[in-house]
Amino acid sequence: MTFDDRAIDWLADLLADAARAEIMPRFRRLGEGDVRQKTSAADLVTEADVNAERLIAARLRERYASAMIVGEEAWSDNPALLAGLGDAELAFVIDPVDGTFNFASGVPLFGVMLGVVVKGETVAGIIHDPIGKDWLIGAKGAGSHIRHAHGALEKVKVAEPVPISEMTGAVSWQYLKEPERSRLARNQTKALSQFGYRCAAHEYRLLASGHAHFVVYNKLMPWDHLAGVLIHQEAGGYAARIDGDAYLPSHVDGGLLVAPDKQSWDELRRELWAE
């Protein structure tokens, strides 16, 4: 079965099904053996991540038997799963619980993310908020919307461009090496204020709905960014890798700067990396 944007509601409902069945019953109820470290004490996986991803992947395989399916937790067990994402005829990229550290800590800032890739291009992105029971949805060429629990659609738009001194943003400096780490941490003070949710799902929501201006990410795993970047772009925003190249599904490095428009991107690139 091929993908078209009429399937977006089905996909959105699938993410909500996984949240109801596997994520929310475990929120603030995780047992001692339900949380494990992956690479560090800040990089966790829970039974909610694993089981939600299995449910989503199984349903996708039933409907799209020939599609490539890449889930964060499956990739952790088999990194070879990413090979071919940039060339796949149809691929679905799943982050079953984005913001796992928050989820495991009992903090209600986490989401379920899904990106749809067709022949190397992200064509749709969905971010589901299991707490708010709504969705942020973008489709290539069709804009981005919040789909509320009661069914209404609300169009979203990125913030109006302003000078960096009036911007609110986030710099994910914890994944940077020195001296760039200290340079960006210092230069972020040129902005009006900052946020740090430890959850790309909610950070992209903040940006796409016009409540903040920029983010800088260094770690570029596709399940963290494909949906959010597409949604942000369809809301009128601009994103590119730090060297100015376009961000593609096949990229896992090179950093990412997300801004309201190209002019803002240029100013942020200049000011944040200034010596």
Side-chain angles (χ1 to χ4, degrees), residues 14 18 22 36 47-61 71 73-74 77 94 96:
L14 171 57
E22 302 293 352
R36 303 182 299 281
E47 288 301 297
D49 297 75
V50 172
N51 287 290
E53 182 174 302
R54 285 175 179 164
L55 187 156
I56 294 167
R59 297 266 189 92
L60 287 171
R61 289 190 185 97
E73 307 315 327
D77 295 332
I94 309 161

Side-chain angles (χ1 to χ4, degrees), residues 16 20 34 120 140 181 199 261:
R20 280 192 300 269
D34 293 338
K140 190 74 175 178
R181 176 186 177 118
C199 176
D261 63 0

Side-chain angles (χ1 to χ4, degrees), residues 68 82-89 91 117-121 248-251:
M68 179 179 184
L82 269 183
L85 178 59
D87 302 314
E89 286 290 317
V117 178
V118 175
K119 298 179 181 177
E121 180 182 24
L248 301 174
S250 57
H251 291 152

Side-chain angles (χ1 to χ4, degrees), residues 192-269:
L192 176 66
S193 62
Q194 64 178 5
F195 62 89
Y197 287 171
R198 301 189 73 153
C199 176
H202 279 279
E203 289 172 354
Y204 278 116
R205 180 175 178 136
L206 200 67
L207 293 166
S209 56
H211 298 297
H213 299 88
F214 73 91
V215 288
V216 177
Y217 294 113
N218 188 57
K219 187 179 179 184
L220 293 190
M221 302 314 292
W223 42 83
D224 289 325
H225 300 291
L226 292 184
V229 168
L230 185 279
I231 289 168
H232 181 263
Q233 289 174 332
E234 286 298 317
Y238 183 84
R241 292 204 295 173
I242 304 306
D243 62 5
D245 286 349
Y247 169 57
L248 301 174
S250 57
H251 291 152
V252 295
D253 56 19
L256 184 65
L257 173 57
V258 182
D261 63 0
K262 179 62 164 61
Q263 185 174 348
S264 299
W265 191 98
D266 289 337
E267 181 184 6
L268 286 161
R269 179 65 180 83

Side-chain angles (χ1 to χ4, degrees), residues 2-41:
T2 58
F3 176 81
D4 64 62
D5 57 13
R6 289 174 294 181
I8 288 179
D9 285 341
W10 181 86
L11 293 170
D13 290 340
L14 171 57
L15 301 191
D17 288 347
R20 280 192 300 269
E22 302 293 352
I23 298 172
M24 291 310 297
R26 293 179 169 90
F27 183 49
R28 295 178 176 165
R29 298 180 180 89
L30 291 168
E32 185 176 339
D34 293 338
V35 184
R36 303 182 299 281
Q37 288 189 19
K38 291 198 281 189
T39 61
S40 72

Side-chain angles (χ1 to χ4, degrees), residues 72-240:
E72 178 180 8
E73 307 315 327
W75 172 86
S76 293
D77 295 332
N78 179 15
L81 283 177
L82 269 183
L85 178 59
D87 302 314
E89 286 290 317
L90 173 63
F92 297 95
V93 181
I94 309 161
D95 192 339
V97 181
D98 183 74
T100 297
F101 185 88
N102 292 342
F103 178 81
S105 304
V107 176
L109 277 175
F110 53 89
V112 190
M113 302 176 75
L114 179 75
V116 184
V117 178
V118 175
K119 298 179 181 177
E121 180 182 24
T122 309
V123 299
I126 304 171
I127 299 174
H128 175 56
D129 178 4
I131 300 292
K133 294 184 172 62
D134 61 9
W135 302 259
L136 183 59
I137 300 172
K140 190 74 175 178
S144 292
H145 300 79
I146 293 175
R147 176 182 150 192
H148 294 282
H150 51 72
L153 291 179
E154 175 188 351
K155 189 174 178 62
V156 295
K157 186 178 183 298
V158 300
E160 293 296 324
V162 293
I164 190 172
S165 61
E166 299 176 31
M167 291 186 190
T168 294
V171 176
S172 185
W173 50 259
Q174 64 267 35
Y175 296 111
L176 295 168
K177 295 180 179 179
E178 295 292 0
E180 189 177 25
R181 176 186 177 118
S182 293
R183 183 186 310 138
L184 266 72
R186 179 184 70 246
N187 286 333
Q188 188 180 2
T189 61
K190 296 177 181 180
L192 176 66
S193 62
Q194 64 178 5
F195 62 89
Y197 287 171
R198 301 189 73 153
C199 176
H202 279 279
E203 289 172 354
Y204 278 116
R205 180 175 178 136
L206 200 67
L207 293 166
S209 56
H211 298 297
H213 299 88
F214 73 91
V215 288
V216 177
Y217 294 113
N218 188 57
K219 187 179 179 184
L220 293 190
M221 302 314 292
W223 42 83
D224 289 325
H225 300 291
L226 292 184
V229 168
L230 185 279
I231 289 168
H232 181 263
Q233 289 174 332
E234 286 298 317
Y238 183 84

